[in-house]
Amino acid sequence: MKNLKTIALALFVAFGVSSATAQNKKINVEKSTINWVGKKVTGEHSGTINFQEGMLIFKGKNVAGGNFTVDMTSINTTDLTGEWKAKLDGHLKADDFFGTDKFKTATLKFTKIADKGNGVYGVTADLTIKGITKPVNFDLNVKGNNAIATVVVDRAKYDIKYGSKSFFEGLGDKTIYDEFELKVSLQF
């Protein structure tokens, strides 16, 4: 039996077939970025959130999976300064929004991947925010050791109610739209 395994391994090597079918590529958390934009009736705010860890899984040259953890305590507003920045950062970390004292991380795990060609993949993933998991869909564009995606998230699905017309009537120009956008850039 040992000789049979040795012969099979020799055949795999001779024909260029690897016994390892998947390769995990960890992202560089210092060079990978998440930029967010949240809009309201009277304008918008933008900022960043940091990755804690993450990886893309490849089979050959094709994306076969991915898992990411985001440090929600790193929410940072970039369009404001001083007192207004501190207030918004604090409010986004409070229970009205992401409750980062209790929910320090958010996670994203790929569940389905469709190869659209030219390095573009249609991804369905489970996104967990505030302990609530819902599916999201987005396109992932991979070139070399880089990947980009724009992910639109409906905060109402994660029980983030503050200023949402999905939960409150008569907000008028104080309405904050439910959907926010994440522009993700991965380096691995």
Side-chain angles (χ1 to χ4, degrees), residues 6-19:
T6 304
I7 292 169
L9 183 58
L11 287 172
F12 280 129
V13 172
F15 290 103
V17 178
S18 171
S19 60

Side-chain angles (χ1 to χ4, degrees), residues 98-143:
F98 296 103
T100 62
D101 283 345
K102 184 175 179 183
F103 303 101
K104 296 188 183 316
T105 62
T107 60
L108 181 81
K109 181 177 182 174
F110 292 9
T111 57
K112 293 181 188 172
I113 300 165
D115 187 346
K116 294 183 168 186
N118 296 322
V120 178
Y121 299 88
V123 176
T124 299
D126 283 340
L127 176 62
T128 303
I129 299 174
K130 293 181 76 174
I132 300 169
T133 302
K134 299 289 180 183
V136 293
N137 298 297
F138 57 91
D139 283 348
L140 179 72
N141 296 284
V142 180
K143 288 188 180 167

Side-chain angles (χ1 to χ4, degrees), residues 36-38 98 129 151-155 178-182:
W36 59 264
V37 175
F98 296 103
I129 299 174
V151 183
V152 177
V153 179
D154 181 348
R155 68 186 176 103
D178 287 342
E179 291 185 338
F180 63 92
E181 184 179 86
L182 303 172

